Amino acid sequence: MRRLIINADDFGLTAGINRAILKAHLEGIVTSATLMANGPAFEQAVTLTASAPSLSIGCHVMLVDGSSLLQPARVPTLLAGRDNTSFYRSAGTLAWRSITRRIDPAQIELEAVAQIRKLQSAGISVTHIDTHKHVHILPQVLRPLLRAAQTCGVRKIRNPFGRMLLAGLLRYASLWKRWIEFRTLQTLARSFRETVKNAGMITADGTIGIVATGALDEKLFRALIENLPDGTWEFVCHPGYDDAELQSLQTRLRKSREQELEILTAPATRELLRQNDIELISYHDLT
């Protein structure tokens, strides 16, 4: 049996991304989304969820490339400057500071609790969590994040590890470096599963689509689906509209968001899933 969660990240980043995610759910195959508590379009995203009661909503915890919900004095090791609330821009910087013990795990836990609680206070039943730029792939980030989830009563988390489909990526030279990076990090997969299990949390067997972010097209999506192993997996996607609001932000994902939206809403995509006997589920259904 093959089951697949289709999760749209960056809900709450812009109004155009919010509309695209709702379209991809109501007219396409998106079953879940993760909402940024500190996203500029957070309030609009919360309002839109009323028209999509079957959309499973999680918290897209931001520890890089955004701003803290807390006062700087409470999370100083997470911030790029003592006089502002901005996180470090680079996931690599957070990783290095975590590995060298310059990040206080207790501050990660505090910030994550604040973000999850903001969603819950807005009336969102938070089904799961993941992180912006997948930084919970690091044990130093994962452990305090799990404690935060437990505190907030959330029991499901994204498994950022998965099968690395090299054959489908060979045509995309721009993705080779990313593939090598994630391939190297696969050594952490076993400890991830053990840590999550010991915390009493639930996760899928892994993810597909992370390496393809920014370059997904119909051929690559077909290759990912046709090579999906047995089990329960999550496809990570970033639908959106490349409008003026998005262009004002610092993000590498622009035109690719519209291309993903087309794939996610195309009738041929749903037929592809049917032909491959893949059952669509949401994080609500993950047990």
Side-chain angles (χ1 to χ4, degrees):
M1 174 181 287
R2 296 187 293 176
R3 305 197 306 167
L4 187 61
I5 298 167
I6 311 289
N7 192 96
D9 286 4
D10 297 348
F11 198 28
L13 182 59
T14 71
I17 288 174
N18 292 347
R19 293 195 308 273
I21 289 174
L22 261 291
K23 179 182 177 67
H25 171 64
L26 296 174
E27 302 178 23
I29 62 170
V30 164
T31 60
S32 302
T34 32
L35 176 56
M36 294 174 160
N38 42 11
F42 172 81
E43 298 295 341
Q44 187 218 30
V46 171
T47 300
L48 289 176
T49 60
S51 63
S54 60
L55 181 65
S56 173
I57 305 292
C59 184
H60 195 57
V61 177
M62 295 188 71
L63 299 170
V64 294
D65 196 20
S67 297
S68 169
L69 293 182
L70 301 175
Q71 292 297 317
R74 300 190 66 189
V75 288
T77 66
L78 301 182
L79 306 179
R82 294 183 180 275
D83 58 344
N84 62 55
T85 60
S86 297
F87 298 130
Y88 290 93
R89 288 275 304 160
S90 166
T93 301
L94 177 70
W96 177 247
R97 289 178 60 83
S98 298
I99 293 169
T100 56
R101 300 185 177 182
R102 285 185 283 175
I103 297 288
D104 183 349
Q107 294 177 19
I108 293 177
E109 184 177 350
L110 278 174
E111 179 64 35
V113 166
Q115 293 185 28
I116 297 169
R117 290 292 194 211
K118 183 175 178 180
L119 270 65
Q120 293 174 330
S121 295
I124 300 293
S125 177
V126 179
T127 55
H128 61 293
I129 59 172
D130 56 37
T131 54
H132 188 50
K133 297 188 176 178
H134 317 292
V135 294
H136 69 291
I137 206 168
L138 301 166
Q140 296 85 354
V141 175
L142 174 64
R143 289 189 289 266
L145 192 67
L146 291 173
R147 291 194 294 270
Q150 291 170 323
T151 296
C152 297
V154 179
R155 295 193 58 222
K156 302 172 186 179
I157 186 171
R158 169 179 291 164
N159 180 349
F161 300 93
R163 287 193 54 176
M164 310 298 288
L165 183 62
L166 179 60
L169 298 174
L170 287 176
R171 296 183 292 114
Y172 306 87
S174 62
L175 298 181
W176 293 353
K177 178 183 177 183
R178 190 169 173 83
W179 184 89
I180 292 171
E181 291 172 348
F182 272 83
R183 181 66 180 176
T184 302
L185 290 168
Q186 283 290 116
T187 57
L188 300 173
R190 177 176 293 181
S191 66
F192 175 91
R193 290 192 297 269
E194 291 175 352
T195 301
V196 169
K197 181 179 179 180
N198 291 338
M201 298 281 286
I202 301 170
T203 190
D205 293 315
T207 53
I208 62 172
I210 289 180
V211 175
T213 299
L216 189 74
D217 59 18
E218 190 277 331
K219 288 184 179 179
L220 185 49
F221 182 78
R222 177 175 289 275
L224 291 169
I225 294 302
E226 291 179 344
N227 288 276
L228 188 70
D230 287 341
T232 300
W233 299 83
E234 178 183 357
F235 176 76
V236 179
C237 59
H238 299 81
Y241 292 106
D242 187 22
D243 53 17
E245 187 179 5
L246 182 65
Q247 291 168 14
S248 69
L249 302 178
Q250 292 183 337
T251 174
R252 71 183 180 91
L253 304 181
R254 298 190 186 282
K255 288 295 184 184
S256 63
R257 293 183 186 270
E258 294 189 348
Q259 186 164 324
E260 287 194 20
L261 179 60
E262 290 182 10
I263 294 170
L264 294 166
T265 56
T269 298
R270 192 175 289 276
E271 178 62 18
L272 175 66
L273 296 173
R274 188 195 66 78
Q275 290 174 352
N276 284 273
D277 197 25
I278 294 173
E279 178 188 1
L280 277 182
I281 67 168
S282 74
Y283 264 97
H284 281 301
D285 309 310
L286 182 63
T287 59

